[in-house]
Amino acid sequence: MIEQCRLIEFPQKGDDRGHLVVVEGRGDIPFDIKRVFYIYGSDKDVIRGRHANYHSEFVLINVAGTSMVKVDDGVNQKIYHLDRPHIGIYLPRLVWKDMYGFSGDSVLLCLASEHYDAEEYIRDYDMYLDVMRKKTTGEV
Ligand code: TYD
């Protein structure tokens, strides 16, 4: 499952006036964008996220500054460094994610496939492991 996480390079349409990066739903990313939020002003020792989603897929882009994203499917983990405004990470549903190591100028743009619903967030890691175990054994 973790192998579905991947970095995506977005088209850059910059010219001598500056940079322009395009992110189209169901084009550059594999879902229609229903929600946009962004995270900034987090200290470098803060860990955000710490959750998985039953339904939402995400693409995270550091449009300014840098941050780290650790993804975890309950078995394997992988760490990505977001450090360019035209690079995003695609996160499928049911991946546990931590965002951390924010630079002082970090603005982390998050594109989501679903509207916000607190009920579809799994915020307890033991519960997450249980959900993934049941998924693997076909209990759900
Ligand atoms: P949270 O999910 O904890 O942020 P992060 O994953 O970056 O650590 O969200 C922080 C607060 O904002 C929490 O009270 C839920 C609220 N929130 C919304 O109301 N709508 C949203 O789309 C998001 C992402 C969060």
Side-chain angles (χ1 to χ4, degrees):
M1 201 268 265
I2 208 167
E3 52 290 345
Q4 291 174 41
C5 298
R6 65 178 196 276
L7 292 174
I8 302 174
E9 183 168 350
F10 301 112
Q12 299 181 79
K13 305 284 183 186
D15 54 32
D16 54 7
R17 297 169 298 166
H19 299 285
L20 189 156
V21 176
V22 181
V23 183
E24 284 209 39
R26 286 212 180 276
D28 305 303
I29 66 174
F31 55 80
D32 285 323
I33 300 164
K34 287 196 183 153
R35 177 163 54 113
V36 175
F37 56 97
Y38 41 95
I39 295 165
Y40 64 98
S42 289
D43 287 340
K44 65 176 182 339
D45 52 350
V46 164
I47 304 176
R48 302 199 60 126
R50 290 180 147 159
H51 47 56
N53 294 72
Y54 283 109
H55 304 299
S56 291
E57 302 164 71
F58 296 93
V59 167
L60 276 44
I61 307 164
N62 254 107
V63 292
T66 65
S67 71
M68 311 288 283
V69 182
K70 183 166 87 177
V71 295
D72 178 347
D73 64 6
V75 177
N76 297 300
Q77 300 183 341
K78 194 165 176 186
I79 293 173
Y80 292 89
H81 191 198
L82 295 178
D83 59 358
R84 283 165 291 173
H86 67 289
I87 300 289
I89 178 173
Y90 167 71
L91 304 175
R93 54 181 64 93
L94 277 178
V95 67
W96 187 271
K97 54 210 168 296
D98 294 346
M99 296 88 85
Y100 60 99
F102 299 97
S103 62
D105 59 348
S106 173
V107 181
L108 182 62
L109 180 70
C110 306
L111 311 174
S113 66
E114 308 298 329
H115 295 296
Y116 183 67
D117 174 8
E119 298 298 308
E120 68 117 2
Y121 279 69
I122 307 169
R123 292 182 180 271
D124 180 280
Y125 190 67
D126 288 335
M127 185 187 295
Y128 172 69
L129 291 178
D130 200 42
V131 168
M132 296 308 282
R133 186 185 56 75
K134 287 180 173 151
K135 187 169 174 278
T136 307
T137 58
E139 287 177 56
V140 289

